[in-house]
Amino acid sequence: MIRVDGRTLRCADVVTAARTGGPLGIDVSVAALRGAEHAWKLAGELSTRRMVYGRTTGVGATKDDTVESSREHGLRLLRSHAGGSGDPMPPGQVRAMMLIRLNQLLAGRSGISPELIGALADAVRAGALPLVHRLGAIGTGDLAPLAETALALTGERAWVEGHVPPVAVQAGDALAFMSSNAATLAEATLATMRLDTLTRASHAVAALTYVALDGNPEAYATPVHEARPHAGQVACAAEMRRLLGMHQTPKPGRRIQDPFGLRAFPQVQGPALDAIHYLRDVLAIEINASTENPMISTVHGDAYHHAHFHTAYVSTALDQARATVHQVAELSVARLGDLVEPEFTGLRPFLAAGPAGSSGVMILEYVAHDALTELRQAALPATLGTAVVSRGIEDHASFSTQAARAATAACTSYQQVLACELVAAVRALRMRDADLVDLPVRDAFDAAAEVLDESTDDRPLTDDIAAAVGVLDTLARI
């Protein structure tokens, strides 16, 4: 049961909503509904005595056009903005979007009608999915996706799955419903939580490679990281010590210094952990925020025009997270290169076991570099540009929508990179018959070995890579 009150929605709740096909259990706060109704009444009263953007005026460059606050005006706004295009938005993202938007509306500053909030809540409960398209936002409000959703609630647009009884749009509902980045926040949250899982799994993958390569434990020692105590770096080193059963001051390793893939892992993984932590904090605020322009304040009895639709916090945090994850993935590919090198493993090149000239896991490097290149493209900043629209009135954009899409792509590429390293690490450990009995990382080896083919013959590794991707969630929990 997910609590929806405009204040306490969690990123994990958003993931639950996305993964739940069909009805979703939500507990809608009665107090929040009353607060939203109070704001709706105040918004109607304010519209009779002052200019209120989108209610008594047009929107964008038509902001100076005076209009009558009416249902007809609202329907025109929704119909004109429901011009999304491209592929349909994935069902999980639509579910997450609807939950986030419901929660934001229950913060009680939109001035939207209780009937429309109730219809949205019914749709979330029922698991009903409107037809929403991917394209139509640039980080200054998800106008097209939310207009399409609102029109589905009115009965004017199609439902992909299920439906709820149509509800009439009240005066002022249109802009109040559209004035949010809920679709972008949905994708950003899902991608962020996935990156969080993958970075946690990467500790176990790197630890398995460490054992396979007889790594030097000094690089993870407590005194080292106390000397430069960045939070993420310290946390990564501590996790490696835990997985590898290290004491505070470990004995010297096989080599005086390991390659960077092992030695610099905390220093590179640390910024990624910190960036994802910050990103989660940003999203936790955003999914519980009142972003509607204008904001209806029942405390002050007035409407405030503002720019909460702008999501620079989200876009810049996403850009930083993708850039740091890319660096971590580079280390994973580097460790894969070490795993196929006899100098580091004491095994045959490419972990081959057949006749002379056998290729072993040679192809893994090609797959990993292909995925890394895609990740590098996804890591490029989305914020280094702008857009001037609506006749120059709206003269900047955050592109958080595009940054969120890039984060989704980064997740797909990063998990492929980790999977390639995992396949090679498990094979190397099997071939060496490494002793993992007393190490906590043994659980990671057992989980991976259970799904990875034991055969060392030259054969297609497609299924092995897919199995390795599938076990990453388990490794993240070890």
Side-chain angles (χ1 to χ4, degrees):
M1 185 66 67
I2 297 174
R3 177 70 170 171
V4 189
D5 57 14
R7 298 180 297 106
T8 62
L9 189 68
R10 304 172 304 162
C11 291
D13 296 328
V14 176
V15 175
T16 297
R19 292 178 177 175
T20 302
L24 179 68
I26 58 172
D27 175 21
V28 175
S29 166
V30 174
L33 282 170
R34 289 173 182 162
E37 182 175 7
H38 187 186
W40 170 63
K41 291 177 179 177
L42 175 60
E45 189 270 328
L46 289 172
S47 298
T48 66
R49 59 183 174 86
R50 62 159 292 182
M51 299 293 284
V52 181
Y53 177 72
R55 290 175 178 267
T56 65
T57 74
V59 296
T62 65
K63 62 183 175 57
D64 296 322
D65 293 351
T66 301
V67 301
E68 179 184 355
S69 180
S70 64
R71 294 180 180 180
E72 290 72 24
H73 173 56
L75 283 171
R76 285 196 302 272
L77 282 179
L78 291 176
R79 290 164 181 161
S80 63
H81 284 72
S85 186
D87 296 331
M89 190 175 289
Q93 185 181 346
V94 176
R95 293 188 185 96
M97 172 194 74
M98 294 169 70
L99 177 66
I100 291 171
R101 191 66 192 114
L102 174 63
N103 187 65
Q104 291 176 326
L105 292 173
L106 287 170
R109 297 183 182 90
S110 67
I112 205 166
S113 68
E115 290 81 7
L116 193 53
I117 294 177
L120 180 58
D122 289 343
V124 171
R125 284 194 187 95
L129 293 179
L131 176 60
V132 178
H133 294 88
R134 287 183 66 251
L135 302 180
I138 55 175
T140 55
D142 294 329
L143 301 176
L146 290 169
E148 291 178 328
T149 302
L151 286 179
L153 293 171
T154 69
E156 285 200 12
R157 286 184 67 93
W159 293 89
V160 174
E161 184 176 331
H163 69 280
V164 293
V167 62
V169 172
Q170 303 297 320
D173 278 351
L175 183 61
F177 193 90
M178 291 189 292
S179 195
S180 162
N181 293 280
T184 295
L185 295 177
E187 182 160 18
T189 302
L190 297 177
T192 298
M193 297 299 280
R194 184 60 185 161
L195 286 176
D196 181 73
T197 296
L198 294 174
T199 51
R200 284 187 284 115
S202 70
H203 291 111
V205 175
L208 289 171
T209 298
Y210 171 95
V211 177
L213 298 177
D214 285 326
N216 188 327
E218 293 176 11
Y220 309 138
T222 300
V224 171
H225 297 281
E226 286 178 342
R228 194 180 72 169
H230 290 294
Q233 173 186 314
V234 169
C236 175
E239 182 65 1
M240 294 299 286
R241 291 195 302 272
R242 180 188 72 82
L243 289 167
L244 295 167
M246 293 178 180
H247 298 296
Q248 184 170 341
T249 306
K251 297 179 181 179
R254 174 181 171 186
R255 292 172 291 275
I256 189 170
Q257 290 198 141
D258 286 325
F260 284 5
L262 288 177
R263 181 158 44 113
F265 183 54
Q267 289 80 3
V268 179
Q269 173 88 332
L273 298 180
D274 288 339
I276 292 170
H277 180 83
Y278 172 67
L279 179 53
R280 289 187 63 169
D281 287 346
V282 167
L283 292 170
I285 291 173
E286 293 285 343
I287 63 178
N288 288 289
S290 298
T291 58
E292 300 83 14
N293 177 40
M295 180 183 78
I296 308 300
S297 174
T298 56
V299 174
H300 302 92
D302 208 348
Y304 294 86
H305 297 87
H306 59 80
H308 277 344
F309 52 81
H310 200 292
T311 47
Y313 272 103
V314 177
S315 60
T316 53
L318 283 166
D319 276 3
Q320 181 184 20
R322 296 195 317 279
T324 55
V325 166
H326 172 257
Q327 292 200 36
V328 177
E330 287 182 317
L331 285 193
S332 178
V333 174
R335 290 192 299 271
L336 174 59
D338 297 336
L339 285 165
V340 301
E341 173 54 56
E343 179 184 346
F344 293 112
T345 64
L347 301 169
R348 288 176 55 185
F350 307 110
L351 306 177
S358 294
S359 298
V361 298
M362 182 187 294
I363 195 63
L364 291 180
E365 286 192 285
Y366 294 84
V367 175
H369 276 284
D370 190 350
L372 181 63
T373 301
E374 290 193 341
L375 177 53
R376 186 177 300 117
Q377 294 300 310
L380 294 174
T383 51
L384 297 184
T386 190
V388 179
V389 298
S390 199
R391 299 176 60 195
I393 294 298
E394 299 174 8
D395 50 6
H396 192 264
S398 73
F399 296 108
S400 61
T401 308
Q402 290 67 37
R405 290 176 190 155
T408 299
C411 291
T412 301
S413 299
Y414 183 34
Q415 67 186 17
Q416 292 291 321
V417 169
L418 285 177
C420 289
E421 180 187 356
L422 180 59
V423 170
V426 170
R427 179 182 286 217
L429 290 168
R430 281 171 166 164
M431 295 176 73
R432 290 190 51 194
D433 195 21
D435 183 8
L436 295 168
V437 173
D438 296 328
L439 301 181
V441 78
R442 173 62 186 262
D443 291 339
F445 175 79
D446 289 343
E450 185 177 353
V451 299
L452 293 177
D453 194 331
E454 293 185 14
S455 171
T456 55
D457 295 339
D458 279 4
R459 56 184 177 78
L461 296 175
T462 304
D463 291 343
D464 297 69
I465 297 171
V469 168
V471 81
L472 290 175
D473 282 21
T474 300
L475 268 56
R477 297 189 293 268
I478 289 174

